Amino acid sequence: MHDDHTLRELRFLQRLALAAGSTLDSRDLVNLVISETTEATETDVCSVYLLEADREHLLLTATNGLSQAGVGRVRLRINEGITGWAAAELRPVVVPDVRAEARFRWLHGVDQARFVSMCSVPIISGDRLVGVLNVQTDHRREFGEGDVNLLSAIAAHVAGALERTELQGRLEARLAELRRSEEIHRRFTELALAGAGLEAICAGIESHADASAAVFDEDGDCLATSPASSLPARLVGFADPARRDDGLTVVPVRAGRDVLGWLAVGRPPEGESPHSRRLAIEHGVTVLALELVRERAAAEAERRLRGDLLEELLTTRLTPADATRLTRR
């Protein structure tokens, strides 16, 4: 009987190892763990809590015996309850009777009074906490060294697979960012080379930042807007953009140390990529600066030409041929 139990555990660990090595989907792995760990450990409930991004809370990610209503909603702080205790200590915690354990945290609508004994094992990758694996029974049970070792082995497989999944996710996100950066850089380079004009540049910013965009002169008067802009015709408070409370992002458009104007970008929609928005604004102000310098240079050249013509008109006795030549100019 003992050999049959040991063989069953070894077969489960083999399946888990194969799954952990072949899947990059953390949900599939967690579902495998909770569906088979109870049988392998002869327990009634298996639950997995994973550490959240703030590294201060554990989220109930999956369970096969507690209320499903708590999955994705129930959170515990590190050091809160038996689960948080195992996470804080980075070691297994065995509680023969949770009713007699002061650290036990009753989760309303999730826990059931019939579950008595509990074993919590931290899921650790290297020295980094990933989550906690829990098993519970509806009768008193003294979890022994063999039980704890088996659960620790399960947790180790889960940790390795989740670490690879997280790494793969980070790499894919980084690749997407690089592709997005290349696209934004190419688009704004085209606008700069074409001398597309202020409105086209604002439209490009709006497209990549997914928010209205407008450029204002030094005094806050609007020079151009993107097609769907709902921004005001005059910008106030531009001298201190950091203190704005209207949701606008306002950045100066500079040529060297000189401020040529201001770019204002509306509030982004929920879930919009901050990376794309930041790149759109950074590239946008650069191209806007080039365009404003180009427009100012053209205006200055025209002003000088008009001045030269006026001076020639006032100081020269014109012949009919001179008048024709100046008219053409």
Side-chain angles (χ1 to χ4, degrees):
M1 184 70 177
H2 178 72
D3 290 340
D4 290 343
H5 180 68
T6 302
L7 183 60
R8 191 163 60 247
E9 290 180 356
L10 290 174
R11 286 176 175 170
F12 168 58
L13 289 175
Q14 183 181 38
R15 289 197 306 274
L16 181 57
L18 290 173
S22 62
T23 184
L24 287 174
D25 191 330
S26 59
R27 291 171 298 182
D28 290 346
L29 178 66
V30 169
N31 288 335
L32 172 65
V33 169
I34 65 168
S35 66
E36 299 200 28
T37 294
T38 48
E39 180 181 353
T41 59
E42 297 182 341
T43 54
D44 299 297
V45 178
C46 178
S47 303
V48 173
Y49 286 78
L50 294 181
L51 188 65
E52 294 200 281
D54 64 4
R55 305 198 66 78
E56 295 181 358
H57 293 85
L58 295 158
L59 177 68
L60 178 59
T61 305
T63 182
N64 67 348
L66 303 180
S67 172
Q68 293 297 316
V71 174
R73 296 176 55 247
V74 170
R75 289 173 171 80
L76 291 171
R77 284 188 170 276
I78 301 295
N79 212 26
E80 181 181 5
I82 307 300
T83 304
W85 183 10
E89 297 290 329
L90 293 179
R91 63 176 179 82
V93 175
V94 173
V95 180
D97 190 338
V98 296
R99 296 167 298 186
E101 174 54 59
R103 285 180 178 262
F104 180 70
R105 162 78 187 282
W106 177 269
L107 299 175
H108 183 71
V110 176
D111 283 318
Q112 298 179 30
R114 65 188 180 93
F115 297 121
V116 178
S117 297
M118 181 173 181
C119 181
S120 292
V121 176
I123 302 172
I124 303 172
S125 178
D127 59 352
R128 190 172 71 89
L129 178 69
V130 177
V132 177
L133 173 68
N134 291 339
V135 291
Q136 296 171 265
T137 61
D138 59 8
H139 59 279
R140 184 181 176 89
R141 173 171 169 178
E142 300 286 345
F143 288 96
E145 182 180 354
D147 299 316
V148 173
N149 288 340
L150 174 59
L151 289 167
S152 296
I154 295 171
H157 284 301
V158 174
L162 291 177
E163 188 77 2
R164 286 193 298 276
T165 301
E166 182 181 343
L167 177 60
Q168 179 73 13
R170 289 201 302 267
L171 289 175
E172 290 178 353
R174 180 56 180 157
L175 180 59
E177 285 186 355
L178 289 174
R179 288 174 176 167
R180 185 68 167 159
S181 299
E182 181 181 3
E183 177 189 350
I184 292 174
H185 176 74
R186 177 184 56 78
R187 177 56 182 152
F188 281 98
T189 299
E190 290 174 352
L191 290 172
L193 294 176
L198 297 178
E199 288 188 359
I201 298 170
C202 288
I205 296 171
E206 178 182 81
S207 173
H208 293 289
D210 202 13
S212 298
V215 59
F216 299 82
D217 65 16
E218 309 99 304
D219 299 320
D221 292 322
C222 186
L223 298 174
T225 67
S226 58
S229 175
S230 57
L231 300 182
R234 180 167 176 77
L235 187 66
V236 295
F238 50 83
D240 192 4
R243 300 185 63 180
R244 303 192 64 85
D245 58 2
D246 55 7
L248 294 182
T249 298
V250 178
V251 293
V253 180
R254 298 180 183 273
R257 295 183 177 180
D258 297 331
V259 175
L260 305 179
W262 303 88
L263 168 66
V265 181
R267 190 190 304 273
E270 192 70 27
E272 174 62 19
S273 167
H275 177 73
S276 296
R277 179 181 175 85
R278 177 178 59 81
L279 286 176
I281 292 174
E282 289 177 356
H283 285 282
V285 294
T286 300
V287 180
L288 283 172
L290 291 173
E291 189 64 26
L292 287 174
V293 168
R294 182 184 291 124
E295 287 188 359
R296 291 190 178 192
E300 177 64 17
E302 183 176 355
R303 186 189 64 78
R304 290 184 178 181
L305 177 60
R306 290 179 181 275
D308 292 342
L309 287 173
L310 181 60
E311 181 179 357
E312 188 169 353
L313 285 170
L314 295 176
T315 60
T316 306
R317 181 173 295 180
L318 299 179
T319 65
D322 292 332
T324 301
R325 175 177 56 80
L326 290 177
T327 300
R328 288 173 178 171
R329 287 181 62 188

